[in-house]
Amino acid sequence: MVFYFICLCSFSCDDQLVYNQFHQIDRGLWENEIVFSVEVEDISRPYNLTIEIRNSNLYPFQDLWIACLEERPDSSSRQDTLSLRLADPYGRWLGSGISLFETEYSLHRGYYFPQAGTYTHSFYHLMEKFPLPGIQEVGLRLDKGK
């Protein structure tokens, strides 16, 4: 009976997850644009879109500036610039982890996609150092909202 309850809880938690992918950065040196393609079928409900950053101790800055481009199924697009804080003023990483720190940032909460189809999300860093060291992975997660 306990096993059944644990299985039921673990599967019910995943019902909200629509998409969750990470792009690994070669050698921990971010040089290129990172692209995710997400299929959205049900536009009658809200969604939460989250970017996830995994960095090492080699990341030399407190913040991470990135450009985000969302291309919609009708070929329209929207672009935004984000400043993501990875460390506090004393250099302590804000993300969870020991040698690899994961930090999540909300891109949209309760967002209704305007049309069904494939949405392409592109990210590239806007930092002065190129290639950018210490960023190990960038992820994108889409959950069903409430």
Side-chain angles (χ1 to χ4, degrees), residues 5-130:
F5 179 74
I6 291 171
C7 288
L8 180 63
C9 287
S10 65
F11 287 119
S12 65
C13 294
D14 289 339
D15 284 351
Q16 301 305 315
L17 184 63
V18 176
Y19 180 88
N20 191 21
Q21 292 291 320
F22 277 89
H23 178 83
Q24 188 170 354
I25 307 294
D26 291 334
R27 303 176 326 276
L29 297 169
W30 189 357
E31 297 180 282
N32 302 319
E33 181 179 42
I34 297 171
V35 179
F36 299 96
S37 293
V38 180
E39 187 68 32
V40 177
E41 296 173 1
D42 182 4
I43 61 170
S44 68
R45 63 174 304 123
Y47 292 91
N48 301 320
L49 191 63
T50 305
I51 185 171
E52 301 167 304
I53 305 294
R54 291 180 179 162
N55 68 285
S56 71
N57 284 323
L58 297 176
Y59 187 70
F61 303 106
Q62 180 179 348
D63 297 328
L64 171 64
W65 285 84
I66 60 173
C68 308
L69 176 66
E70 177 187 87
E71 295 180 52
R72 297 176 174 168
D74 67 357
S75 298
S76 66
S77 63
R78 75 183 226 187
Q79 187 166 353
D80 201 0
T81 302
L82 300 174
S83 174
L84 309 177
R85 185 164 302 258
L86 298 181
D88 69 15
Y90 302 102
R92 291 183 298 243
W93 299 115
L94 299 176
S96 60
I98 296 173
S99 62
L100 186 65
F101 303 93
E102 183 173 329
T103 313
E104 299 178 351
Y105 303 93
S106 175
L107 296 175
H108 299 293
R109 286 272 173 239
Y111 179 65
Y112 286 88
F113 285 94
Q115 56 199 236
T118 301
Y119 286 77
T120 302
H121 293 85
S122 305
F123 302 98
Y124 55 93
H125 77 82
L126 301 171
M127 304 300 288
E128 61 190 39
K129 200 165 193 129
F130 192 86

